[in-house]
Amino acid sequence: MKNLEKMTDRAIEIVKECCGENSLTEICRPITINTRATSRWGCCRKSGNISRIEISSRILRDEVPEDATMSIIVHEVLHACKGTKGHTGLWKSYAWQVNRKYPELEIARTASAEKFGLEEEQKEIKSQYAIRCTHCGQMHYSSKLSKSIKFPERYRCGRCGGNLERVF
């Protein structure tokens, strides 16, 4: 596994160099490693002038290129900058500045598993209920007993407008 502390220090240096010494809020150390995150690579939570960064353990695997891991860490450190919110405005400007100076990092709003050389993990769909269109055969699965599942006769198919029936 990669040295997260060393990479975090480097990411903070890059952001300060590109965005200004006083651009960052205080970042809680050490950065948290999330072993359960499957739909995101990292996140940054701000509380006042303190930022808490969390990184998915998937991005720290040895088979993931170092630049890809660094890209995610810098992305999250950019969220810790003062005045940033989401992926627009000041965050977007800072990301552009980092990309101009360090094009190998490719800081982006989103990133796919393919970019990191990882296989996309497929989530097993656990559905207890299903409805089907009697006209076109379109299926809709649900894990919750919603109104459309309880009373399919009150609804129509979104594709063709046909009648719906509960399958299971």
Side-chain angles (χ1 to χ4, degrees):
M1 200 173 270
K2 297 177 174 70
N3 185 337
L4 183 58
E5 281 304 304
K6 186 176 174 185
M7 294 181 89
T8 302
D9 291 339
R10 179 67 183 128
I12 291 170
E13 285 175 22
I14 289 171
V15 170
K16 283 183 176 179
E17 178 186 336
C18 295
C19 308
E21 278 292 319
N22 299 321
S23 61
L24 280 172
T25 60
E26 182 184 338
I27 297 175
C28 281
R29 303 292 285 272
I31 286 182
T32 308
I33 299 173
N34 188 334
T35 57
R36 297 178 350 152
T38 58
S39 62
R40 65 175 183 224
W41 301 110
C43 72
C44 177
R45 292 183 178 94
K46 286 186 193 176
S47 179
N49 200 35
I50 297 173
S51 298
R52 286 177 170 67
I53 296 176
E54 186 178 282
I55 300 292
S56 171
S57 61
R58 293 171 52 209
I59 200 69
L60 297 173
R61 294 179 187 163
D62 289 331
E63 64 265 22
V64 177
E66 190 122 342
D67 282 345
T69 303
M70 196 66 187
S71 170
I72 296 299
I73 296 170
V74 170
H75 174 113
E76 298 308 331
V77 170
L78 285 172
H79 282 297
C81 289
K82 296 172 186 167
T84 60
K85 188 170 184 175
H87 296 106
T88 60
L90 198 53
W91 184 92
K92 192 174 182 178
S93 171
Y94 286 161
W96 182 83
Q97 290 173 38
V98 171
N99 282 332
R100 194 168 50 115
K101 191 152 189 160
Y102 299 93
E104 68 276 7
L105 293 179
E106 299 179 47
I107 307 298
R109 189 179 64 79
T110 61
S112 66
E114 190 177 90
K115 176 183 176 183
F116 305 129
L118 295 173
E119 301 245 344
E120 191 67 53
E121 294 178 13
Q122 297 294 320
K123 291 183 180 177
E124 185 180 321
I125 299 172
K126 296 177 183 173
S127 52
Q128 297 176 336
Y129 309 102
I131 53 176
R132 174 179 50 223
C133 173
T134 58
H135 185 258
C136 70
Q138 168 93 14
M139 294 289 290
H140 171 74
Y141 300 94
S142 177
S143 59
K144 297 179 181 176
L145 187 59
S146 64
K147 286 184 181 179
S148 62
I149 299 291
K150 267 185 176 176
F151 309 106
E153 64 278 358
R154 296 182 186 174
Y155 298 89
R156 296 279 176 246
C157 175
R159 179 187 283 171
C160 71
N163 294 325
L164 299 174
E165 66 180 357
R166 186 164 163 187
V167 180
F168 57 88

